[in-house]
């Protein structure tokens, strides 16, 4: 009953929340409504629920946006396959969630909406900003709330299955044994050296290497861009707020705050039911008389109130600012002192006895304490308005014109130019931005030489780019890379000879022969290590990784392996012993981390198993 009262009597608060809802639409991008205006065929059916071509197109766009790339850079069929697979998974999860009776409450949706940072100014939600964004992107509140509810429901399902994972003490002990295991070994490292100095590198060798490895000597395609920047922070210098504005805003805020009163109430609710109103009022008056005679309000609420939820909490129905409850209840509460109980009050829900339990009048600080904050807020609001106005103009000019001159003239934004850079980006902030790089190598920029769309560099900074100059990929002339090829060939010869020496040592050891003379001839020595842990970083991590990839030696013997390292050296390893670890070697913090890691892994596996089972049992067409 209490929830019914709250759901049906929100008044002004309900209107405010509806306004807040608008602000979160940008979470899923404007693409979320594109399909509503287009026709198309169904591309798949999941247990009788269709997936439309429009939904697939939106999913592809969202996929590209999430990785910051253009669709031209990828195989379209592969993208369709990935996006369709995600849509099918989403359908299956939503169906499973519905079958499990999972729902997301309106309150949860509202809280998620209010926390949306994209529509907050100074940490506070801005309704005007939300409405402008909604209008620009074409969203409706209903469409967004439905999408958000689906996402939260699927998250609820995933968490429910992931939370079912469990770990036994035996599991932890077994994994701790491996994690704390140590190994004893010795190794010989055969470094690169001057062994092949007597071997000449011929012009034919260089030519052959050049012909067979042309990609090594091909310069990447590069671009240099012209660009303009719109920076919200730069607009602050243009905006001033006079003292009268600050004072007027202070008086408005103080007036609203001081007039804001919060009351906390409890009630005993009598159901009208089949009795006439006078009879129920009389019954309520009798209970009120018992309260005035000294009986406890909470005890009587549990005995008589039909609102079972509030009755369990001594009749508490929470706070109101004068707009939460029906008008009859609000009027009665306004006339009460703290601790006083009202006469019977009739509302659409029944007959109430109301008790005022708390009364709070908001105090407001002096002007000097908040003037700086108010000035900053007013300035921020004006800056935001200018920024979004200019952003809209920038987007229109970028689309309507074929260079950056009109933007420069209209908005006064300087035309700047980047260094040359390739698909891995440049060193400057603009040339190194992934969104800029993606746009720079798109067909619109390279082939059609159009302006880009507005590119978001940060929350307060956007750019529009235009091609200044293009350098295609090309193979460098042999003469320019001859010396480099000679160095590469010499290094390869050194690596081959190091491997040859290492394999000779390994062969001799496996044959039971002495290798001391061979080590002496190469000025090599054994390096002894004991108690080395997995992931130990005070020695070469490649060697440690290879040691822990070797199988344990049999009792009384050793295990021998040889490995090439990334630096070209060749290492011969003699594994002597594997020392098991134990859970006792972990401190409390390490045990907790291990437990959390295992739980996360098993929870993910459980959820993956659910998804696989849903896919296997589904009717997917």
């Amino acid at each position: 009953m209490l929830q019914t009262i709250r759901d049906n009597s929100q008044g002004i608060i309900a209107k405010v929340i509806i306004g807040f809802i608008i602000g979160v639409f940008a979470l899923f991008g404007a693409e979320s409504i594109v399909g509503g205006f287009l026709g198309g065929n169904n591309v798949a059916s999941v247990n009788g629920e269709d997936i439309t071509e429009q939904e697939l197109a939106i999913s592809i766009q969202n996929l590209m946006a999430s990785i910051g790339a253009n669709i031209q850079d990828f195989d379209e069929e592969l993208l369709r396959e990935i996006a369709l697979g995600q849509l099918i998974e989403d359908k299956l999860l939503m169906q499973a969630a519905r079958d499990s009776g999972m729902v997301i409450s309106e309150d949860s949706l509202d809280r998620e909406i209010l926390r949306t940072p994209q529509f907050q100014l100074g940490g506070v939600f801005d309704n005007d900003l939300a409405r402008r964004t909604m209008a620009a992107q074409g969203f409706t509140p209903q469409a967004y709330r439905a999408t958000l509810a689906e996402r939260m429901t699927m998250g609820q399902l995933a968490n429910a299955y992931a939370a079912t994972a469990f770990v036994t003490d035996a599991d932890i002990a077994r994994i701790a044994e491996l994690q704390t295991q140590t190994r004893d070994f010795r190794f010989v490292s055969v470094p690169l050296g001057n062994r092949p100095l007597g071997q000449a590198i011929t012009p034919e060798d260089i030519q052959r290497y050049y012909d067979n490895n042309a990609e090594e000597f091909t310069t990447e395609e590069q671009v240099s861009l012209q660009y303009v920047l719109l920076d919200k922070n730069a607009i602050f210098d243009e905006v001033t707020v006079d003292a009268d504005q600050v004072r007027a805003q202070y008086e408005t805020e103080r007036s609203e705050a001081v007039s804001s009163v919060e009351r906390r109430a409890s009630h005993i609710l009598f159901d009208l039911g089949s009795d006439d109103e006078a009879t129920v009022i009389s019954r309520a008056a009798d209970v009120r008389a018992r309260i005035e005679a000294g009986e406890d309000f909470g005890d009587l609420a549990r005995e008589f109130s039909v609102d079972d939820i509030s009755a369990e909490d001594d009749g508490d129905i929470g706070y109101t600012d004068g707009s939460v409850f029906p008008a009859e209840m609000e009027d009665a509460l306004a006339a009460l002192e703290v601790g006083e109980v009202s006469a019977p009050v009739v509302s659409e829900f029944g007959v109430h006895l109301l008790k005022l339990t708390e009364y709070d009048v908001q105090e407001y600080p002096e002007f000097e304490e908040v003037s700086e904050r108010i000035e900053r807020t007013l300035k921020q609001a004006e800056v935001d308005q200018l920024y979004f106005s200019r952003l809209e103009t920038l987007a229109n000019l970028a689309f309507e014109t074929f260079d950056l001159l009109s933007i420069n003239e209209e908005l006064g934004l300087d035309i700047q130019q980047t260094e040359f850079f390739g698909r891995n980006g440049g060193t400057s902030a603009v040339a190194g931005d992934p969104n800029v790089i993606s746009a720079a190598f798109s067909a619109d920029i390279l082939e059609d030489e159009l302006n880009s769309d507005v590119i978001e560099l940060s929350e307060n900074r956007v750019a529009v780019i235009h091609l200044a100059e293009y350098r295609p990929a090309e193979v460098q002339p042999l003469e320019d890379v001859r010396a480099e090829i000679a160095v590469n060939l010499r290094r390869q010869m050194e690596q081959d000879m190091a491997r040859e020496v290492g394999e000779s040592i390994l062969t001799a050891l496996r044959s039971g022969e002495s290798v001391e003379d061979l080590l002496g001839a190469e000025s090599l020595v054994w390096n002894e290590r004991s108690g080395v842990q997995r992931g130990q970083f005070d020695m070469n991590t490649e060697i440690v990784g290879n040691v822990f990839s070797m199988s344990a030696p049999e009792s009384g013997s050793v295990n021998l392996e040889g490995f090439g390292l990334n630096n070209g050296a060749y290492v011969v390893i003699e594994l002597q012993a594997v020392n098991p670890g134990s859970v006792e070697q972990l401190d409390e913090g390490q045990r907790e981390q291990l437990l959390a890691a295992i739980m996360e892994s098993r929870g993910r596996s459980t959820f993956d198993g659910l998804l696989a089972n849903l896919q296997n049992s589904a009717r997917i067409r």
Side-chain angles (χ1 to χ4, degrees), residues 161-162 165 598-612:
Y161 274 85
I598 300 171
M599 289 283 287
E600 180 183 358
S601 175
R602 292 191 175 178
R604 188 164 53 247
S605 297
T606 300
F607 180 72
D608 290 344
L610 163 70
L611 190 56

Side-chain angles (χ1 to χ4, degrees), residues 144-423:
Y144 176 69
R145 286 182 72 85
T147 302
L148 179 61
E150 285 190 359
R151 295 294 169 187
M152 292 177 67
T153 302
M154 285 189 284
Q156 189 181 59
L157 179 70
N159 291 336
Y161 274 85
T164 62
F166 64 92
V167 181
T168 66
D169 290 342
D171 293 331
I172 295 178
R174 185 171 60 255
I175 295 174
E177 269 188 31
L178 292 173
Q179 189 178 60
T180 59
Q181 179 190 98
T182 63
R183 298 195 169 199
D184 304 333
F185 63 95
R186 65 176 183 167
F187 69 93
V188 172
S189 179
V190 185
L192 302 185
N194 298 323
R195 300 179 187 86
L197 279 181
Q199 295 180 239
I201 298 175
T202 67
E204 291 77 16
D205 292 333
I206 292 176
Q207 183 68 55
R208 188 180 306 109
Y209 188 94
Y210 179 78
D211 293 339
N212 293 336
N213 299 278
E215 68 280 355
E216 288 186 27
F217 312 110
T218 301
T219 60
E220 65 174 338
E221 61 176 341
Q222 293 184 315
V223 294
S224 175
L225 302 174
Q226 291 183 326
Y227 66 93
V228 293
L229 286 178
L230 178 61
D231 190 341
K232 184 190 288 188
N233 294 325
I235 302 176
F236 271 89
D237 297 334
E238 304 175 28
V239 176
T240 58
V241 177
D242 62 46
D244 290 341
Q245 288 177 279
V246 177
R247 174 61 73 173
Q249 180 64 24
Y250 170 78
E251 294 298 338
T252 300
E253 291 184 7
R254 188 177 69 85
S255 175
E256 291 176 352
V258 171
S259 65
S260 176
V261 174
E262 272 199 344
R263 294 180 173 86
R264 187 172 187 176
S266 296
H267 80 159
I268 300 173
L269 180 62
F270 300 86
D271 192 3
L272 288 171
S274 58
D275 294 330
D276 60 83
E277 185 175 297
T279 301
V280 177
I281 291 175
S282 176
R283 188 182 308 129
D286 291 342
V287 174
R288 182 179 184 236
R290 292 172 61 179
I291 295 171
E292 291 178 340
E295 292 193 48
D296 183 70
F297 186 95
D299 291 341
L300 294 173
R302 280 183 283 275
E303 181 178 350
F304 291 103
S305 182
V306 296
D307 182 357
D308 296 331
I309 296 176
S310 69
E312 291 300 317
D313 196 18
D314 292 339
D316 181 56
I317 52 175
Y319 293 90
T320 177
D321 61 355
S323 63
V324 173
F325 304 129
E328 301 88 350
M329 296 174 66
E330 295 289 359
D331 291 342
L333 287 171
L336 296 176
E337 299 293 334
V338 173
E340 188 177 0
V341 178
S342 72
V345 176
V346 180
S347 78
E348 61 185 295
F349 301 104
V351 177
H352 312 256
L353 290 179
L354 296 169
K355 180 180 180 180
L356 183 63
T357 57
E358 292 181 26
Y359 178 80
D360 180 36
V361 179
Q362 180 68 45
E363 295 183 357
Y364 202 69
E366 295 298 321
F367 176 75
E368 290 74 17
E369 297 178 47
V370 295
S371 59
E372 184 177 342
R373 189 268 302 165
I374 292 174
E375 181 179 2
R376 187 170 59 251
T377 301
L378 290 173
K379 190 171 185 178
Q380 179 70 61
E382 190 168 344
V383 167
D384 289 335
Q385 185 174 358
L386 283 171
Y387 178 72
F388 285 109
S389 174
R390 293 177 187 180
L391 180 59
E392 183 177 4
T393 302
L394 177 63
N396 290 335
L397 290 173
F399 178 76
E400 294 168 359
T401 61
F402 298 96
D403 55 37
L404 303 179
L405 292 175
S406 297
I407 296 174
N408 169 256
E409 295 169 359
E410 179 80 16
L411 294 174
L413 301 178
D414 294 335
I415 299 176
Q416 305 177 62
Q417 188 161 335
T418 69
E419 75 275 22
F420 278 95
F421 63 91
R423 291 181 181 269

Side-chain angles (χ1 to χ4, degrees), residues 544-557:
V544 174
N546 284 318
V547 166
F548 277 87
S549 71
M550 296 171 62
S551 57
E554 295 180 4
S555 178
S557 65

